[in-house]
């Protein structure tokens, strides 16, 4: 061994080797495990984002640089501007209402014995896809009350409180003793006399649309001092009937209103029975009989749920049907961890249930409510399936949202990939602040 004082070096003992850095080895192992995920992340996320940003600055063909023209078009084109406005409505309304419904359901179901079954029913729509939900609600919102559940209920409620017309599209033939009286009404061509039965035949009513309890038409009997008559459907199934003659297979117009009019004033009125017969007092003698327009109005057909004015609220309703259960489950899980002692103490101090809910339950659930609200906000920014499936072609422009407009601009024979890419970048910019807020909130929760 050479002495250090003489400037020599200490020789390394035989068989001794330099150790590798443990930290460096661990970094290499971690990088090896992360590499596949990083490659996938770069190929499926980073590259598409970068290319979309790049492509958004070029024109439709992709050959010429367009600058910010595509972004200007987003806020000047009426169709795209409608999509931006509808997205704003979605972001404000849908998450807020879904979270509120979830909170109400979670709190109320804690107090009922069948709460678990109720939660299961409310959460069940989450088990189906957006596509299936869209098909379901396209049928629910069908305009025809015989097919659409929403209008069937609405028409049923309306008809309960408002009398419907019984015979829309009914009208007399030229050979009949009736003529138009204006406004959709019909009136006899000549005055009527007491003791002489009157015939009021009509056509234009499908037998299937006749009242189910309408009976076979019968000729009215003459009564002294009264005006009698028959209103009936002058149509024989299978043919063979004669006009102005009551045949054995023809039906009475049950419920049709008949008015006796003198000098423009109604002096008497009656309603036809199941066999179409009616009877008016002596005041009707010498009057003309009128069938008022109320008999022939088009029946109430419900609400145009998928029309231009209601299509967006209707689709938001279908979204709430699906996602209120999601909000309820998360909030119920948070509610289970709320200390019951605080609530009981508040009740002992004299607080009512509303005060306990507003001052104890909601503040303690604030972190959970924030999670649900932010998650749903991100979700509705990308809403596509429900709008595409539910909105009919005539109302799709009115229900348009950014994700749907991105699809319409990027695909098809008239695709403009420049505008489509600009919309994709806009969606990304809208999602990023919400995601950053969510990440910051999660970090704060972790530090507690």
């Amino acid at each position: 061994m050479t002495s250090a004082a003489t400037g020599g070096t200490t020789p390394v003992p035989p068989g001794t080797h330099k150790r590798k850095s443990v930290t460096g080895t661990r970094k290499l192992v971690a990088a090896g495990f992360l590499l596949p995920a990083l490659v996938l992340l770069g190929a499926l996320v980073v590259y598409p984002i970068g290319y979309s940003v790049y492509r958004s600055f070029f024109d439709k063909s992709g050959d010429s640089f367009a600058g910010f023209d595509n972004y200007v078009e987003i806020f000047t084109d009426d169709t795209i501007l409608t999509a931006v406005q509808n997205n704003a409505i979605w972001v404000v309304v849908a998450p807020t209402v879904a979270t509120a419904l979830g909170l109400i359901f979670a709190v109320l179901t804690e107090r009922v014995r069948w709460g678990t079954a109720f939660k299961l029913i409310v959460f069940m729509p989450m088990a189906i896809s957006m596509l299936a939900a869209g098909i379901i609600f396209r049928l629910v919102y069908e305009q025809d009350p015989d097919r659409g559940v929403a209008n069937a209920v609405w028409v049923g409620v309306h008809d309960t409180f408002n009398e419907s017309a019984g015979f829309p599209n009914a009208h007399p033939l030229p050979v009949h003793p009736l003529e138009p009286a204006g406004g959709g009404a019909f009136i006899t061509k000549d005055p009527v006399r007491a003791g002489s039965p009157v015939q009021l035949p009509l056509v234009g009513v499908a037998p299937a649309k006749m009242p189910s309890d309408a009976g076979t038409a019968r000729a009215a009997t003459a009564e002294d001092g009264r005006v009698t008559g028959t209103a009936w459907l002058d149509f024989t199934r299978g043919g063979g009937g004669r006009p102005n003659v009551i045949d054995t297979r023809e039906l009475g117009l049950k419920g049709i209103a008949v008015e006796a009019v003198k000098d423009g004033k109604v002096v008497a009125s009656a309603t036809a029975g199941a066999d179409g017969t009616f009877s008016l007092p002596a005041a009707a003698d010498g009057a003309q009989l009128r069938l008022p327009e109320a008999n022939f109005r088009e029946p109430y057909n419900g609400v145009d749920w998928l029309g231009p004015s209601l299509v967006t609220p209707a689709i938001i309703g279908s979204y709430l049907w699906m996602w209120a259960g999601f909000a309820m489950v998360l909030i119920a899980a948070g509610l289970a961890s709320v200390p019951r002692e605080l609530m009981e103490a508040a009740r002992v101090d004299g607080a009512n249930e509303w005060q306990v809910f507003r001052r104890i339950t909601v503040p303690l659930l604030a972190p959970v409510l924030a999670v649900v609200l932010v998650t749903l906000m991100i979700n509705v920014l990308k809403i596509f399936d429900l709008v595409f499936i539910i909105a009919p072609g005539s109302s799709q422009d009115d229900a348009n949202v950014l994700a749907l407009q991105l699809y319409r601009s990027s695909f098809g024979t008239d695709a403009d990939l420049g505008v489509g890419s600009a919309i994709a970048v806009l969606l990304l910019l809208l999602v990023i602040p919400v995601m950053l807020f969510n990440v910051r909130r999660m970090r704060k929760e972790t530090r507690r």
Side-chain angles (χ1 to χ4, degrees), residues 221-235:
T221 57
E223 297 181 22
D224 291 337
R226 298 187 68 86
V227 175
T228 59
T230 304
W232 83 98
L233 180 63
D234 194 13
F235 171 80

Side-chain angles (χ1 to χ4, degrees), residues 104-144:
I104 293 170
F105 291 156
V107 172
L108 293 182
T109 50
E110 275 205 330
R111 297 181 168 274
V112 293
R113 186 176 301 175
W114 40 268
T116 303
F118 180 83
K119 289 178 182 177
L120 178 64
I121 293 172
V122 175
F123 186 75
M124 199 176 294
M126 285 295 299
I128 65 175
S129 66
M130 286 276 201
L131 174 64
I135 294 173
I136 291 171
F137 274 88
R138 180 64 183 268
L139 295 175
V140 167
Y141 292 134
E142 181 71 40
Q143 180 68 40
D144 185 358

Side-chain angles (χ1 to χ4, degrees), residues 292-309:
E293 67 276 5
N295 293 311
F296 312 110
R297 289 195 309 262
E298 288 292 332
Y300 182 68
N301 206 35
V303 177
D304 188 7
W305 297 105
L306 300 181
S309 58

Side-chain angles (χ1 to χ4, degrees), residues 304-360:
D304 188 7
W305 297 105
L306 300 181
S309 58
L310 289 179
V311 63
T312 295
I315 299 173
I316 291 177
S318 66
Y319 179 88
L320 296 176
W321 177 75
M322 287 193 67
W323 288 87
F326 168 81
M328 177 195 66
V329 169
L330 292 187
I331 295 171
L335 190 61
S337 64
V338 172
R340 304 296 163 178
E341 298 82 5
L342 294 176
M343 298 182 182
E344 294 302 326
R347 293 188 182 100
V348 170
D349 289 341
N352 56 36
E353 292 302 320
W354 169 248
Q355 290 172 327
V356 171
F357 174 76
R358 186 165 59 91
R359 297 183 179 276
I360 304 294

Side-chain angles (χ1 to χ4, degrees), residues 195-221:
S196 298
V198 183
Q199 294 182 338
L200 302 178
L202 293 173
V203 295
V205 183
K209 297 294 184 180
M210 290 288 289
S212 57
D213 53 351
T216 303
R218 179 178 62 87
T221 57

Side-chain angles (χ1 to χ4, degrees), residues 17-267:
H17 300 284
K18 206 171 186 179
R19 292 184 178 180
K20 292 182 179 180
S21 170
V22 176
T23 304
T25 303
R26 287 178 177 174
K27 287 182 178 178
L28 289 174
V29 172
F33 277 106
L34 289 174
L35 186 60
L38 292 174
V39 171
L40 286 175
L41 187 66
L44 300 179
V45 178
V46 178
Y47 172 74
I49 291 175
Y51 184 75
S52 295
V53 174
Y54 168 80
R55 185 66 179 81
S56 68
F57 291 105
F58 285 81
D59 63 1
K60 182 176 180 178
S61 64
D63 299 327
S64 303
F65 183 75
F68 288 94
D69 291 351
N70 293 323
Y71 292 95
V72 172
E73 184 173 348
I74 292 177
F75 297 100
T76 55
D77 183 89
D78 290 339
T79 302
I80 303 177
L81 197 57
T82 300
V84 174
Q85 293 170 348
N86 286 338
N87 254 99
I89 294 172
W90 271 90
V91 169
V92 172
V93 175
T96 305
V97 177
T99 304
L101 288 175
L103 176 61
I104 293 170
F105 291 156
V107 172
L108 293 182
T109 50
E110 275 205 330
R111 297 181 168 274
V112 293
R113 186 176 301 175
W114 40 268
T116 303
F118 180 83
K119 289 178 182 177
L120 178 64
I121 293 172
V122 175
F123 186 75
M124 199 176 294
M126 285 295 299
I128 65 175
S129 66
M130 286 276 201
L131 174 64
I135 294 173
I136 291 171
F137 274 88
R138 180 64 183 268
L139 295 175
V140 167
Y141 292 134
E142 181 71 40
Q143 180 68 40
D144 185 358
D146 293 332
R147 298 177 61 191
V149 175
N151 265 343
V153 174
W154 194 270
V155 170
V157 173
H158 175 274
D159 290 349
T160 301
F161 299 99
N162 298 275
E163 187 177 352
S164 300
F167 308 100
N169 302 321
H171 60 276
L173 292 175
V175 296
H176 286 162
L178 291 165
E179 62 184 3
F186 300 100
I187 196 167
T188 55
K189 297 175 182 177
D190 302 309
V192 297
R193 296 296 175 187
S196 298
V198 183
Q199 294 182 338
L200 302 178
L202 293 173
V203 295
V205 183
K209 297 294 184 180
M210 290 288 289
S212 57
D213 53 351
T216 303
R218 179 178 62 87
T221 57
E223 297 181 22
D224 291 337
R226 298 187 68 86
V227 175
T228 59
T230 304
W232 83 98
L233 180 63
D234 194 13
F235 171 80
T236 305
R237 274 187 169 180
R242 293 171 294 168
N244 294 330
V245 176
I246 300 175
D247 296 307
T248 56
R249 289 182 293 169
E250 294 175 345
L251 300 175
L253 296 174
K254 182 189 176 183
I256 196 167
V258 182
E259 296 175 343
V261 180
K262 284 183 179 180
D263 301 325
K265 295 181 180 180
V266 177
V267 296

